[in-house]
Amino acid sequence: MTGRRTAVLLILDGLGDRPVKELGGKTPLQAAKTPVMDRLTKEGQSGLMNVIGPGITPGSDAAHLSLFGYDPVGCYPGRGPLEALGAGLASKPGDVAFRANFGTIDSDFVVTDRRAGRTFSREEHEALEKALSGIEIDGVRVHFVATVEHRGALVLEGNGLSGEITETDPHETGLKVLESRPLNKDAKKTAEIVNKLVHLSHNRLKDLDLNKEREKRGLPPANILLLRGPGQHREIPTLQERYGIKAAVIAGGSLYIGTAKYIGMEHVPVEGQTGTIDTNFDNIAAKSIEVISSDFDYVFIHIKATDNASHDGNAKEKVLAIERTDKMLGKIVEAVGKDIVIAVTGDHTTPLSVGEHTCDPVPALLWSSFMRPDATQAFSEIDAADGSLHTLRGMDIMPLLLGYAGYIGKMGA
Ligand code: ZN
Ligand code: ZN
């Protein structure tokens, strides 16, 4: 529509940091050469953002819901449904989903390997999926998909289910597979189905030819499904319903794809996008430009490498990930800058010195070619404290982007 621009949200996962000794007391964002982000900061506005709320350490999934304008308190369904959607399973309100692992147990149901040796070929994945297909327990249908290595996702589809149950993965070897317990009386049926499913998975997997082959090669058999992160898919309004916008997600990690799909975004795959430092930044730039130029109103672009580097305590790699993202951003702005309103920020702080997420606010910048600039000259945690956006909440980013892009109408006459 005329007068409207495409709203773009670029997230560098775990972007925020603290001063790093190895970087001369600078944060990675200060140390990195980021001519594009600095230019956009000069021409636009910046601030610091508490993604979920002051003092709250965000998990990536809840943080992203907040950045998409949804209050995670009330909207966050648990990890399972988001992973299931990201893995390409159909999941709808009422369904209960889990993250799943192939594991190895002995005859007493004691876990001897939580990852069943970790490596699986495509053929093995297919054989395991086939062995677990067509399961129905007490009127509830079970859908499973294998994803990467020993991982997968599982959806229970049926009536009267509840996500208020405990997981079956003991998270340690040498312990028995846990019984799923209901956390309230409405969840009793679901816990019973899950416990039946765990035994059924063992019966269907334990004698498979592929497991005999694995044992011959010295690999542990994949003879059970271990389930964790249960959650129930909730009925929440999509972005289309809330704002009338058509939204796309460009991401490598299944959790981000799933979280975006949960609120109605369409996944646009990019060749070579992996969620690591080796992700194909050129292809992400090219695809972003293509999507921005099409009929999408909103595009979410996710870069995971910054968070990986933080968890690994690798300062050099975090700086490199920021610099590569800056170059990618440069290509996008050069090609379609006149057509977009963009926010660049992180979903939380992951200090290199901590290796885990913390509650420190993250820097955020908002830019479009028509925007009133503030006095901030560079994009960093330190500079952003002086920006005109001041202290934002994560939930403010969506209305800011959509307001400037022309998707939010006037209030009042
Ligand atoms: Zn994150
Ligand atoms: Zn993380």
Side-chain angles (χ1 to χ4, degrees), residues 198-253:
V198 167
H199 285 267
L200 186 64
S201 78
H202 181 54
N203 287 335
R204 287 205 179 188
L205 300 178
K206 66 180 192 315
D207 298 322
L208 287 180
D209 286 346
L210 81 92
N211 275 332
K212 287 174 194 148
E213 291 296 320
R214 284 179 76 82
E215 288 184 277
K216 265 188 219 157
R217 286 182 286 141
L219 285 168
N223 62 12
I224 190 123
L225 270 189
L226 298 172
L227 304 175
R228 61 204 160 96
Q232 186 162 36
H233 196 135
R234 300 187 185 186
E235 182 89 64
I236 55 168
T238 62
L239 289 173
Q240 175 76 40
E241 287 161 351
R242 283 182 76 184
Y243 300 110
I245 56 169
K246 185 175 168 190
V249 44
I250 293 178

Side-chain angles (χ1 to χ4, degrees), residues 408-413:
I408 298 180
K410 181 160 66 175
M411 179 184 274

